[in-house]
Amino acid sequence: MAYSEKVIDHTENPRNVGTLDKNDDAVGTGLVGAPACGDVMRLQIKVGDDGKIADAKFKTFGCGSAIASSSLATEWLKGKSLDEAEAIKNTQIVEELNLPPVKIHCSVLAEDAIKSAIADYRAKQAARKSAT
Amino acid sequence: MPADPFERLGIPRRFAIDRREAEEKHLALSRALHPDKQVGASPPERRAALSLAIEVNEAWRVVRDPIKRAEAILQLSGLEGEVGETREPKPSGGFLMEVMESREALEEARASKERAAVEAVVVSAKKQREDVEGELASRLDAALALPEVERLPALRATIPLLGRLRYAARLLSEANTARDEIDGF
């Protein structure tokens, strides 16, 4: 199957690969997997004092489309508010990367990862609030 | 997927297969359907034999592979809409964390060419795959033996195990690739 140029670019030069401290209160971690193909994806956001996403990192073990989807997601996340980030749809990723139908589930995984990172961040903030 | 790979090979539809029996049936069918055996047959008969031969090969490809075999059993048993792509239940966070840790450990060992560390992943992935496959075998076949009303939920409950088998198989194949790379293959 032929990958689009954008997928190849993100696979060969993935942006923002790495780890943020998952114990940091400002960091939200999303860990998701696609059991049908054995992929695993971790996506992390660090939220600044202004409420905007200051940094985003990912680590994905999976196919080129899964790596490209999460790489693109971290690029898009930086500078966004949580609400804006939450509004990112997998269909936008599909469109940007020109993913074929059989790879749409990779973009779904990336959207899941974004949502679960935001949920983790919010849960941490709520826990901190109720602790003080 | 062919209509029913088990039926095509003439073996019972279950996870624990007699591998030798299945292989022999595949060979016998392939031989009987071989174009060399179709001398004197009419063109439509030859075409039919050829397409049947393709189905037999495809059936063997499914049956010989534990993951594809389990998928076929579930799909043929009325769960075709629940297996594959994004339809399967999400793995638990704890399990995904384990997967992430082992994949990262392997990546590190591969990058620093630590053969012993890669070998350790090969060994543990192999054991993990065997364990999960064994559990899947007993639970799938036990589910298949249940009366119809209980069968479907019991089969459905094995889907997460199938997911774990795919993760274990994936880790093992990556670990084998890393080891071959270090050994200069």
Side-chain angles (χ1 to χ4, degrees), chain A residues 41-119:
Chain A
M41 181 183 288
R42 181 183 59 218
L43 190 146
Q44 295 180 298
I45 51 168
K46 189 178 174 111
V47 182
D49 295 333
D50 58 356
K52 288 196 158 59
I53 295 171
D55 201 4
K57 297 269 183 217
F58 84 97
K59 183 80 214 180
T60 294
F61 292 98
C63 67
S65 302
I67 292 168
S69 296
S70 37
S71 171
L72 177 68
T74 54
E75 272 196 325
W76 279 356
L77 285 170
K78 287 187 191 178
K80 281 196 164 62
S81 71
L82 293 181
D83 288 342
E84 287 165 349
E86 226 171 8
I88 294 175
K89 288 269 164 299
N90 84 290
T91 47
Q92 295 168 281
I93 297 171
V94 170
E95 203 173 314
E96 175 69 19
L97 295 175
N98 207 358
L99 294 179
V102 291
K103 292 294 179 184
I104 287 174
H105 65 278
C106 300
S107 68
V108 173
L109 202 59
E111 186 190 318
D112 269 359
I114 295 173
K115 295 216 155 68
S116 105
I118 295 172

Side-chain angles (χ1 to χ4, degrees), chain B:
Chain B
M1 197 181 66
D4 182 339
F6 300 93
E7 199 180 278
R8 183 49 76 225
L9 294 175
I11 58 169
R13 188 197 294 173
R14 52 194 306 244
F15 187 83
I17 53 161
D18 181 337
R19 222 189 132 84
R20 245 184 76 185
E21 181 202 3
E23 193 160 8
E24 274 163 15
K25 295 223 168 169
H26 167 240
L27 280 174
L29 282 165
S30 297
R31 254 183 243 123
L33 294 165
H34 194 274
D36 289 353
K37 294 271 162 113
Q38 309 303 314
V39 195
S42 68
E45 280 169 343
R46 297 174 74 106
R47 274 198 297 276
L50 185 64
S51 73
L52 204 54
I54 292 169
E55 276 182 37
V56 164
N57 278 334
E58 172 62 14
W60 174 235
R61 205 177 60 83
V62 171
V63 164
R64 71 196 289 193
D65 179 78
I67 292 170
K68 293 198 175 80
R69 186 162 75 241
E71 286 170 346
I73 290 172
L74 293 167
Q75 285 164 343
L76 291 165
S77 307
L79 294 168
E80 63 279 355
E82 297 178 41
V83 179
E85 287 206 3
T86 48
R87 296 183 281 261
E88 295 182 20
K90 291 180 185 174
S92 75
F95 173 70
L96 285 175
M97 218 174 287
E98 275 173 38
V99 173
M100 195 45 122
E101 274 167 17
S102 50
R103 295 296 297 266
E104 283 184 317
L106 175 62
E107 189 183 54
E108 211 171 286
R110 183 180 189 168
S112 52
K113 300 200 185 307
E114 289 170 68
R115 196 186 189 283
V118 172
E119 182 65 32
V121 179
V122 171
V123 171
S124 86
K126 219 177 250 175
K127 171 146 187 1
Q128 196 186 330
R129 194 187 61 173
E130 269 165 29
D131 291 350
V132 177
E133 193 181 317
E135 197 185 337
L136 184 62
S138 59
R139 282 184 47 192
L140 259 181
D141 288 342
L144 287 172
L146 289 171
E148 210 175 333
V149 278
E150 297 164 46
R151 195 182 308 145
L152 212 57
L155 284 171
R156 185 176 286 126
T158 68
I159 296 178
L161 262 179
L162 172 59
R164 283 178 51 194
L165 182 59
R166 295 199 198 92
Y167 276 109
R170 192 70 179 274
L171 178 64
L172 180 59
S173 107
E174 294 289 328
N176 277 324
T177 307
R179 188 176 58 183
D180 286 352
E181 196 181 270
I182 292 171
D183 291 347
F185 282 116

